[in-house]
Amino acid sequence: MGKVIVVTSGKGGVGKTTSSAALGAALAQNGDKVVVVDFDVGLRNLDLVMGAERRVVYDLVNVIQGEAKLTQALIRDKRVETLYLLPASQTRDKDNLTPEGVEKVVASLKKAFDWVICDSPAGIERGATLAMRHADIAIVVTNPEVSSVRDSDRIIGLLDSKTLKAENGERMEKHLLLTRYDSTRAERGDMLKVDDVLEILSIPLLGIIPESMDVLRASNLGSPVTLADENSAPSRAYFDAVRRLRGEALPVTVPGERRSFFGKLFGRKAA
Ligand SMILES: Nc1ncnc2c1ncn2[C@@H]1O[C@H](COP(=O)(O)OP(=O)(O)O)[C@@H](O)[C@H]1O
Ligand SMILES: [Mg+2]
């Protein structure tokens, strides 16, 4: 049985889709079988970031409504053969996602893949709660800004109450992925420092992804950054995050600084 990861956040535009694609690709680049599922119905972003927009025929809503088989909707990546995408619909609205439908699709995907990565819409509404519902692991994507951190706190509350794991009294494994981190701006006080974010959210740190033009360049090429440029700073940060996801105790370095967090922050509190 594969593991289900939800990539979630309170605020939009923090880097969920970018991170879903990059983490999914990085896991697949290591040989695992991965599917990245776009739950952002109405927006359809993930297929663009993964360079598959012209190959979308059927989507998640078609599968849920019985208009297509799962195998017809899955798109296999042209670069990494163990990487797949289940796209979202651009035209339907979120109400087309039913809890029963989502449950069936996720159950089938878990049987066929090592990792099922659910790219969630932002916020606390239906689409987001459906995306997190069946997760074994949650990655909370946060930018080093007060509003983003505050909204992440709310999402952590939802993860601990609205998911199947929570309802069954089990612990939801939660990780913080701090994205778009700019050490110069943090130094100037324009952004929150890593310690401040961790103080407020107190879930284990999966990684810090620097703000970087490499991400924009990759996304314009229709490629997850870990595929477009394996050695760029954001790619290295994503590859390291994947190693931690696999359970390795790897110190988290702060991009642009010599400091690293080890032990003290990563895995400090099994929230
Ligand atoms: N590390 C980064 N550096 C620079 N830009 C980034 C980074 N991560 C994400 N972005 C950009 O931020 C915007 C929002 O990212 P996206 O992944 O779509 O967020 P979300 O899915 O949370 O709405 C996109 O234009 C994306 O290219
Ligand atoms: Mg998105």
Side-chain angles (χ1 to χ4, degrees), residues 9 11-19 40 45 49 119-120 122 141 179-181 209-216 219 234 238:
S9 77
K11 239 184 120 193
V14 292
K16 289 182 297 299
T17 297
T18 303
S19 300
D40 209 345
N45 234 327
V49 172
D119 178 19
S120 174
V141 179
T179 53
R180 313 202 63 171
Y181 185 80
I209 314 298
E211 171 78 19
S212 164
M213 281 299 291
D214 295 319
V215 172
L216 291 180
S219 141
Y238 279 120

PDB file of all heavy atoms in Angstrom, residues 9 11-19 40 45 49 119-120 122 141 179-181 209-216 219 234 238, ligand 1:
ATOM      1  N   SER A   9      -2.123  24.202   2.585  1.00  0.00           N
ATOM      2  CA  SER A   9      -1.772  25.498   3.201  1.00  0.00           C
ATOM      3  C   SER A   9      -3.061  26.263   3.426  1.00  0.00           C
ATOM      4  O   SER A   9      -4.092  25.940   2.830  1.00  0.00           O
ATOM      5  CB  SER A   9      -0.879  26.329   2.274  1.00  0.00           C
ATOM      6  OG  SER A   9      -1.656  26.916   1.253  1.00  0.00           O
ATOM      7  N   LYS A  11      -3.134  29.728   3.018  1.00  0.00           N
ATOM      8  CA  LYS A  11      -3.089  30.803   2.035  1.00  0.00           C
ATOM      9  C   LYS A  11      -2.774  30.269   0.641  1.00  0.00           C
ATOM     10  O   LYS A  11      -2.070  29.275   0.511  1.00  0.00           O
ATOM     11  CB  LYS A  11      -1.962  31.764   2.440  1.00  0.00           C
ATOM     12  CG  LYS A  11      -2.422  33.189   2.685  1.00  0.00           C
ATOM     13  CD  LYS A  11      -1.246  34.072   2.989  1.00  0.00           C
ATOM     14  CE  LYS A  11      -1.183  35.163   1.947  1.00  0.00           C
ATOM     15  NZ  LYS A  11       0.083  35.879   1.969  1.00  0.00           N
ATOM     16  N   GLY A  12      -3.261  30.941  -0.376  1.00  0.00           N
ATOM     17  CA  GLY A  12      -2.928  30.568  -1.744  1.00  0.00           C
ATOM     18  C   GLY A  12      -1.591  31.160  -2.164  1.00  0.00           C
ATOM     19  O   GLY A  12      -1.070  32.059  -1.503  1.00  0.00           O
ATOM     20  N   GLY A  13      -1.047  30.644  -3.234  1.00  0.00           N
ATOM     21  CA  GLY A  13       0.174  31.209  -3.805  1.00  0.00           C
ATOM     22  C   GLY A  13       1.429  31.028  -2.979  1.00  0.00           C
ATOM     23  O   GLY A  13       2.394  31.764  -3.148  1.00  0.00           O
ATOM     24  N   VAL A  14       1.433  30.052  -2.084  1.00  0.00           N
ATOM     25  CA  VAL A  14       2.614  29.870  -1.224  1.00  0.00           C
ATOM     26  C   VAL A  14       3.625  28.880  -1.809  1.00  0.00           C
ATOM     27  O   VAL A  14       4.767  28.828  -1.370  1.00  0.00           O
ATOM     28  CB  VAL A  14       2.227  29.431   0.209  1.00  0.00           C
ATOM     29  CG1 VAL A  14       1.504  30.541   0.944  1.00  0.00           C
ATOM     30  CG2 VAL A  14       1.399  28.161   0.197  1.00  0.00           C
ATOM     31  N   GLY A  15       3.176  28.091  -2.800  1.00  0.00           N
ATOM     32  CA  GLY A  15       4.096  27.125  -3.416  1.00  0.00           C
ATOM     33  C   GLY A  15       3.666  25.670  -3.292  1.00  0.00           C
ATOM     34  O   GLY A  15       4.485  24.770  -3.423  1.00  0.00           O
ATOM     35  N   LYS A  16       2.388  25.430  -3.076  1.00  0.00           N
ATOM     36  CA  LYS A  16       1.899  24.042  -2.957  1.00  0.00           C
ATOM     37  C   LYS A  16       2.070  23.266  -4.264  1.00  0.00           C
ATOM     38  O   LYS A  16       2.573  22.148  -4.271  1.00  0.00           O
ATOM     39  CB  LYS A  16       0.404  24.008  -2.592  1.00  0.00           C
ATOM     40  CG  LYS A  16       0.081  24.422  -1.195  1.00  0.00           C
ATOM     41  CD  LYS A  16      -1.406  24.309  -0.926  1.00  0.00           C
ATOM     42  CE  LYS A  16      -2.237  25.229  -1.814  1.00  0.00           C
ATOM     43  NZ  LYS A  16      -1.963  26.654  -1.653  1.00  0.00           N
ATOM     44  N   THR A  17       1.612  23.871  -5.348  1.00  0.00           N
ATOM     45  CA  THR A  17       1.662  23.159  -6.629  1.00  0.00           C
ATOM     46  C   THR A  17       3.114  22.946  -7.066  1.00  0.00           C
ATOM     47  O   THR A  17       3.492  21.854  -7.483  1.00  0.00           O
ATOM     48  CB  THR A  17       0.852  23.942  -7.686  1.00  0.00           C
ATOM     49  OG1 THR A  17      -0.512  23.976  -7.237  1.00  0.00           O
ATOM     50  CG2 THR A  17       0.918  23.309  -9.045  1.00  0.00           C
ATOM     51  N   THR A  18       3.913  23.994  -6.923  1.00  0.00           N
ATOM     52  CA  THR A  18       5.342  23.884  -7.214  1.00  0.00           C
ATOM     53  C   THR A  18       5.976  22.746  -6.408  1.00  0.00           C
ATOM     54  O   THR A  18       6.739  21.944  -6.934  1.00  0.00           O
ATOM     55  CB  THR A  18       6.039  25.215  -6.826  1.00  0.00           C
ATOM     56  OG1 THR A  18       5.416  26.278  -7.544  1.00  0.00           O
ATOM     57  CG2 THR A  18       7.510  25.185  -7.108  1.00  0.00           C
ATOM     58  N   SER A  19       5.616  22.687  -5.130  1.00  0.00           N
ATOM     59  CA  SER A  19       6.212  21.683  -4.238  1.00  0.00           C
ATOM     60  C   SER A  19       5.673  20.287  -4.513  1.00  0.00           C
ATOM     61  O   SER A  19       6.425  19.312  -4.441  1.00  0.00           O
ATOM     62  CB  SER A  19       5.959  22.054  -2.768  1.00  0.00           C
ATOM     63  OG  SER A  19       6.534  23.308  -2.477  1.00  0.00           O
ATOM     64  N   ASP A  40      -7.186  20.884  -7.087  1.00  0.00           N
ATOM     65  CA  ASP A  40      -7.605  22.279  -7.223  1.00  0.00           C
ATOM     66  C   ASP A  40      -8.554  22.416  -8.406  1.00  0.00           C
ATOM     67  O   ASP A  40      -8.215  23.024  -9.437  1.00  0.00           O
ATOM     68  CB  ASP A  40      -6.384  23.187  -7.366  1.00  0.00           C
ATOM     69  CG  ASP A  40      -6.657  24.575  -6.822  1.00  0.00           C
ATOM     70  OD1 ASP A  40      -7.847  24.906  -6.604  1.00  0.00           O
ATOM     71  OD2 ASP A  40      -5.695  25.324  -6.605  1.00  0.00           O
ATOM     72  N   ASN A  45      -3.700  23.679 -12.408  1.00  0.00           N
ATOM     73  CA  ASN A  45      -2.401  24.314 -12.438  1.00  0.00           C
ATOM     74  C   ASN A  45      -1.271  23.322 -12.576  1.00  0.00           C
ATOM     75  O   ASN A  45      -0.270  23.554 -13.226  1.00  0.00           O
ATOM     76  CB  ASN A  45      -2.218  25.032 -11.092  1.00  0.00           C
ATOM     77  CG  ASN A  45      -1.882  26.463 -11.286  1.00  0.00           C
ATOM     78  OD1 ASN A  45      -1.213  26.780 -12.263  1.00  0.00           O
ATOM     79  ND2 ASN A  45      -2.333  27.315 -10.391  1.00  0.00           N
ATOM     80  N   VAL A  49       2.505  23.097 -14.651  1.00  0.00           N
ATOM     81  CA  VAL A  49       3.810  23.015 -13.988  1.00  0.00           C
ATOM     82  C   VAL A  49       4.535  21.726 -14.391  1.00  0.00           C
ATOM     83  O   VAL A  49       5.761  21.694 -14.487  1.00  0.00           O
ATOM     84  CB  VAL A  49       3.635  23.103 -12.449  1.00  0.00           C
ATOM     85  CG1 VAL A  49       4.933  22.829 -11.726  1.00  0.00           C
ATOM     86  CG2 VAL A  49       3.109  24.477 -12.063  1.00  0.00           C
ATOM     87  N   ASP A 119      -2.269  17.512  -4.319  1.00  0.00           N
ATOM     88  CA  ASP A 119      -2.033  18.953  -4.346  1.00  0.00           C
ATOM     89  C   ASP A 119      -3.356  19.641  -4.021  1.00  0.00           C
ATOM     90  O   ASP A 119      -4.292  19.617  -4.811  1.00  0.00           O
ATOM     91  CB  ASP A 119      -1.531  19.348  -5.746  1.00  0.00           C
ATOM     92  CG  ASP A 119      -1.295  20.847  -5.874  1.00  0.00           C
ATOM     93  OD1 ASP A 119      -1.157  21.519  -4.841  1.00  0.00           O
ATOM     94  OD2 ASP A 119      -1.257  21.344  -7.025  1.00  0.00           O
ATOM     95  N   SER A 120      -3.416  20.249  -2.855  1.00  0.00           N
ATOM     96  CA  SER A 120      -4.673  20.788  -2.330  1.00  0.00           C
ATOM     97  C   SER A 120      -4.914  22.221  -2.785  1.00  0.00           C
ATOM     98  O   SER A 120      -3.966  22.985  -2.993  1.00  0.00           O
ATOM     99  CB  SER A 120      -4.609  20.753  -0.801  1.00  0.00           C
ATOM    100  OG  SER A 120      -5.733  21.386  -0.237  1.00  0.00           O
ATOM    101  N   ALA A 122      -6.062  26.023  -1.705  1.00  0.00           N
ATOM    102  CA  ALA A 122      -5.809  26.729  -0.452  1.00  0.00           C
ATOM    103  C   ALA A 122      -7.095  26.793   0.364  1.00  0.00           C
ATOM    104  O   ALA A 122      -8.187  26.624  -0.170  1.00  0.00           O
ATOM    105  CB  ALA A 122      -5.313  28.135  -0.747  1.00  0.00           C
ATOM    106  N   VAL A 141       2.634  23.793   3.660  1.00  0.00           N
ATOM    107  CA  VAL A 141       3.511  24.731   2.965  1.00  0.00           C
ATOM    108  C   VAL A 141       3.251  26.140   3.494  1.00  0.00           C
ATOM    109  O   VAL A 141       2.104  26.598   3.552  1.00  0.00           O
ATOM    110  CB  VAL A 141       3.265  24.674   1.435  1.00  0.00           C
ATOM    111  CG1 VAL A 141       4.164  25.659   0.706  1.00  0.00           C
ATOM    112  CG2 VAL A 141       3.487  23.260   0.911  1.00  0.00           C
ATOM    113  N   THR A 179       8.682  27.696   2.270  1.00  0.00           N
ATOM    114  CA  THR A 179       9.070  27.962   0.888  1.00  0.00           C
ATOM    115  C   THR A 179       9.237  29.462   0.637  1.00  0.00           C
ATOM    116  O   THR A 179       8.769  30.288   1.414  1.00  0.00           O
ATOM    117  CB  THR A 179       8.011  27.427  -0.097  1.00  0.00           C
ATOM    118  OG1 THR A 179       6.746  27.952   0.272  1.00  0.00           O
ATOM    119  CG2 THR A 179       7.953  25.918  -0.077  1.00  0.00           C
ATOM    120  N   ARG A 180       9.877  29.771  -0.477  1.00  0.00           N
ATOM    121  CA  ARG A 180      10.126  31.136  -0.910  1.00  0.00           C
ATOM    122  C   ARG A 180      10.896  31.909   0.175  1.00  0.00           C
ATOM    123  O   ARG A 180      10.624  33.075   0.422  1.00  0.00           O
ATOM    124  CB  ARG A 180       8.814  31.845  -1.265  1.00  0.00           C
ATOM    125  CG  ARG A 180       7.901  31.003  -2.148  1.00  0.00           C
ATOM    126  CD  ARG A 180       6.918  31.836  -2.902  1.00  0.00           C
ATOM    127  NE  ARG A 180       7.627  32.738  -3.819  1.00  0.00           N
ATOM    128  CZ  ARG A 180       7.014  33.477  -4.737  1.00  0.00           C
ATOM    129  NH1 ARG A 180       5.720  33.452  -4.851  1.00  0.00           N
ATOM    130  NH2 ARG A 180       7.716  34.246  -5.534  1.00  0.00           N
ATOM    131  N   TYR A 181      11.847  31.231   0.773  1.00  0.00           N
ATOM    132  CA  TYR A 181      12.624  31.850   1.849  1.00  0.00           C
ATOM    133  C   TYR A 181      13.756  32.693   1.261  1.00  0.00           C
ATOM    134  O   TYR A 181      14.524  32.224   0.417  1.00  0.00           O
ATOM    135  CB  TYR A 181      13.192  30.768   2.774  1.00  0.00           C
ATOM    136  CG  TYR A 181      13.900  31.347   3.970  1.00  0.00           C
ATOM    137  CD1 TYR A 181      13.180  31.799   5.069  1.00  0.00           C
ATOM    138  CD2 TYR A 181      15.292  31.460   3.995  1.00  0.00           C
ATOM    139  CE1 TYR A 181      13.826  32.349   6.162  1.00  0.00           C
ATOM    140  CE2 TYR A 181      15.940  32.000   5.087  1.00  0.00           C
ATOM    141  CZ  TYR A 181      15.203  32.448   6.165  1.00  0.00           C
ATOM    142  OH  TYR A 181      15.840  32.988   7.245  1.00  0.00           O
ATOM    143  N   ILE A 209      12.876  25.921   1.293  1.00  0.00           N
ATOM    144  CA  ILE A 209      13.110  26.117  -0.136  1.00  0.00           C
ATOM    145  C   ILE A 209      13.369  27.602  -0.378  1.00  0.00           C
ATOM    146  O   ILE A 209      12.529  28.445  -0.041  1.00  0.00           O
ATOM    147  CB  ILE A 209      11.884  25.676  -0.979  1.00  0.00           C
ATOM    148  CG1 ILE A 209      11.335  24.316  -0.518  1.00  0.00           C
ATOM    149  CG2 ILE A 209      12.228  25.690  -2.467  1.00  0.00           C
ATOM    150  CD1 ILE A 209      12.271  23.143  -0.633  1.00  0.00           C
ATOM    151  N   PRO A 210      14.536  27.939  -0.935  1.00  0.00           N
ATOM    152  CA  PRO A 210      14.820  29.364  -1.152  1.00  0.00           C
ATOM    153  C   PRO A 210      13.955  29.974  -2.253  1.00  0.00           C
ATOM    154  O   PRO A 210      13.541  29.281  -3.174  1.00  0.00           O
ATOM    155  CB  PRO A 210      16.294  29.352  -1.582  1.00  0.00           C
ATOM    156  CG  PRO A 210      16.519  28.007  -2.165  1.00  0.00           C
ATOM    157  CD  PRO A 210      15.607  27.065  -1.425  1.00  0.00           C
ATOM    158  N   GLU A 211      13.701  31.266  -2.125  1.00  0.00           N
ATOM    159  CA  GLU A 211      13.096  32.028  -3.224  1.00  0.00           C
ATOM    160  C   GLU A 211      14.104  32.001  -4.364  1.00  0.00           C
ATOM    161  O   GLU A 211      15.275  32.313  -4.164  1.00  0.00           O
ATOM    162  CB  GLU A 211      12.852  33.468  -2.740  1.00  0.00           C
ATOM    163  CG  GLU A 211      12.429  34.448  -3.811  1.00  0.00           C
ATOM    164  CD  GLU A 211      10.942  34.309  -4.192  1.00  0.00           C
ATOM    165  OE1 GLU A 211      10.178  33.730  -3.400  1.00  0.00           O
ATOM    166  OE2 GLU A 211      10.573  34.777  -5.274  1.00  0.00           O
ATOM    167  N   SER A 212      13.682  31.615  -5.543  1.00  0.00           N
ATOM    168  CA  SER A 212      14.656  31.460  -6.618  1.00  0.00           C
ATOM    169  C   SER A 212      14.017  31.594  -7.989  1.00  0.00           C
ATOM    170  O   SER A 212      12.924  31.085  -8.241  1.00  0.00           O
ATOM    171  CB  SER A 212      15.329  30.088  -6.495  1.00  0.00           C
ATOM    172  OG  SER A 212      15.991  29.757  -7.688  1.00  0.00           O
ATOM    173  N   MET A 213      14.749  32.250  -8.888  1.00  0.00           N
ATOM    174  CA  MET A 213      14.313  32.368 -10.280  1.00  0.00           C
ATOM    175  C   MET A 213      14.277  31.001 -10.958  1.00  0.00           C
ATOM    176  O   MET A 213      13.575  30.808 -11.948  1.00  0.00           O
ATOM    177  CB  MET A 213      15.276  33.285 -11.050  1.00  0.00           C
ATOM    178  CG  MET A 213      15.057  34.761 -10.820  1.00  0.00           C
ATOM    179  SD  MET A 213      13.410  35.266 -11.334  1.00  0.00           S
ATOM    180  CE  MET A 213      13.559  35.065 -13.119  1.00  0.00           C
ATOM    181  N   ASP A 214      15.065  30.074 -10.442  1.00  0.00           N
ATOM    182  CA  ASP A 214      15.096  28.730 -11.040  1.00  0.00           C
ATOM    183  C   ASP A 214      13.714  28.088 -11.025  1.00  0.00           C
ATOM    184  O   ASP A 214      13.384  27.302 -11.905  1.00  0.00           O
ATOM    185  CB  ASP A 214      16.077  27.826 -10.271  1.00  0.00           C
ATOM    186  CG  ASP A 214      17.508  28.314 -10.406  1.00  0.00           C
ATOM    187  OD1 ASP A 214      17.873  28.718 -11.522  1.00  0.00           O
ATOM    188  OD2 ASP A 214      18.242  28.309  -9.409  1.00  0.00           O
ATOM    189  N   VAL A 215      12.917  28.420  -9.984  1.00  0.00           N
ATOM    190  CA  VAL A 215      11.570  27.856  -9.892  1.00  0.00           C
ATOM    191  C   VAL A 215      10.692  28.401 -11.015  1.00  0.00           C
ATOM    192  O   VAL A 215       9.973  27.657 -11.681  1.00  0.00           O
ATOM    193  CB  VAL A 215      10.946  28.154  -8.508  1.00  0.00           C
ATOM    194  CG1 VAL A 215       9.485  27.752  -8.458  1.00  0.00           C
ATOM    195  CG2 VAL A 215      11.730  27.441  -7.406  1.00  0.00           C
ATOM    196  N   LEU A 216      10.772  29.692 -11.237  1.00  0.00           N
ATOM    197  CA  LEU A 216       9.980  30.310 -12.311  1.00  0.00           C
ATOM    198  C   LEU A 216      10.407  29.798 -13.683  1.00  0.00           C
ATOM    199  O   LEU A 216       9.569  29.488 -14.529  1.00  0.00           O
ATOM    200  CB  LEU A 216      10.133  31.838 -12.266  1.00  0.00           C
ATOM    201  CG  LEU A 216       9.492  32.530 -11.076  1.00  0.00           C
ATOM    202  CD1 LEU A 216       9.724  34.032 -11.143  1.00  0.00           C
ATOM    203  CD2 LEU A 216       7.993  32.231 -11.044  1.00  0.00           C
ATOM    204  N   SER A 219       9.110  26.312 -14.164  1.00  0.00           N
ATOM    205  CA  SER A 219       7.669  26.287 -14.375  1.00  0.00           C
ATOM    206  C   SER A 219       7.297  26.798 -15.767  1.00  0.00           C
ATOM    207  O   SER A 219       6.397  26.284 -16.422  1.00  0.00           O
ATOM    208  CB  SER A 219       7.015  27.039 -13.221  1.00  0.00           C
ATOM    209  OG  SER A 219       5.959  27.798 -13.646  1.00  0.00           O
ATOM    210  N   PRO A 234      16.985  25.434  -5.160  1.00  0.00           N
ATOM    211  CA  PRO A 234      15.682  24.882  -4.767  1.00  0.00           C
ATOM    212  C   PRO A 234      15.592  23.363  -4.994  1.00  0.00           C
ATOM    213  O   PRO A 234      14.999  22.656  -4.180  1.00  0.00           O
ATOM    214  CB  PRO A 234      14.673  25.632  -5.650  1.00  0.00           C
ATOM    215  CG  PRO A 234      15.467  26.316  -6.696  1.00  0.00           C
ATOM    216  CD  PRO A 234      16.847  26.501  -6.172  1.00  0.00           C
ATOM    217  N   TYR A 238      14.666  20.472  -2.294  1.00  0.00           N
ATOM    218  CA  TYR A 238      13.574  19.508  -2.467  1.00  0.00           C
ATOM    219  C   TYR A 238      14.100  18.067  -2.359  1.00  0.00           C
ATOM    220  O   TYR A 238      13.445  17.217  -1.749  1.00  0.00           O
ATOM    221  CB  TYR A 238      12.857  19.716  -3.802  1.00  0.00           C
ATOM    222  CG  TYR A 238      11.833  20.834  -3.788  1.00  0.00           C
ATOM    223  CD1 TYR A 238      11.931  21.933  -4.636  1.00  0.00           C
ATOM    224  CD2 TYR A 238      10.732  20.779  -2.919  1.00  0.00           C
ATOM    225  CE1 TYR A 238      10.979  22.949  -4.631  1.00  0.00           C
ATOM    226  CE2 TYR A 238       9.778  21.798  -2.898  1.00  0.00           C
ATOM    227  CZ  TYR A 238       9.906  22.876  -3.754  1.00  0.00           C
ATOM    228  OH  TYR A 238       8.961  23.876  -3.735  1.00  0.00           O
TER     229      TYR A 238
HETATM  230  N1  LIG B   1      10.852  28.879  -4.248  1.00  0.00           N
HETATM  231  C1  LIG B   1      10.244  29.720  -5.087  1.00  0.00           C
HETATM  232  N2  LIG B   1      10.911  30.770  -5.632  1.00  0.00           N
HETATM  233  C2  LIG B   1      10.299  31.635  -6.467  1.00  0.00           C
HETATM  234  N3  LIG B   1       9.019  31.535  -6.838  1.00  0.00           N
HETATM  235  C3  LIG B   1       8.294  30.520  -6.347  1.00  0.00           C
HETATM  236  C4  LIG B   1       8.845  29.556  -5.442  1.00  0.00           C
HETATM  237  N4  LIG B   1       7.874  28.664  -5.122  1.00  0.00           N
HETATM  238  C5  LIG B   1       6.756  29.044  -5.781  1.00  0.00           C
HETATM  239  N5  LIG B   1       7.001  30.149  -6.529  1.00  0.00           N
HETATM  240  C6  LIG B   1       6.060  30.867  -7.401  1.00  0.00           C
HETATM  241  O1  LIG B   1       4.970  31.313  -6.615  1.00  0.00           O
HETATM  242  C7  LIG B   1       3.750  31.267  -7.349  1.00  0.00           C
HETATM  243  C8  LIG B   1       2.737  30.425  -6.589  1.00  0.00           C
HETATM  244  O2  LIG B   1       3.213  29.091  -6.520  1.00  0.00           O
HETATM  245  P1  LIG B   1       2.230  27.851  -6.537  1.00  0.00           P
HETATM  246  O3  LIG B   1       3.067  26.627  -6.408  1.00  0.00           O
HETATM  247  O4  LIG B   1       1.302  27.913  -7.704  1.00  0.00           O
HETATM  248  O5  LIG B   1       1.413  28.115  -5.187  1.00  0.00           O
HETATM  249  P2  LIG B   1       0.052  27.485  -4.651  1.00  0.00           P
HETATM  250  O6  LIG B   1      -0.130  26.153  -5.322  1.00  0.00           O
HETATM  251  O7  LIG B   1       0.271  27.360  -3.182  1.00  0.00           O
HETATM  252  O8  LIG B   1      -1.040  28.454  -4.981  1.00  0.00           O
HETATM  253  C9  LIG B   1       4.101  30.688  -8.711  1.00  0.00           C
HETATM  254  O9  LIG B   1       4.255  31.731  -9.617  1.00  0.00           O
HETATM  255  C10 LIG B   1       5.434  29.988  -8.463  1.00  0.00           C
HETATM  256  O10 LIG B   1       6.224  29.902  -9.619  1.00  0.00           O
END
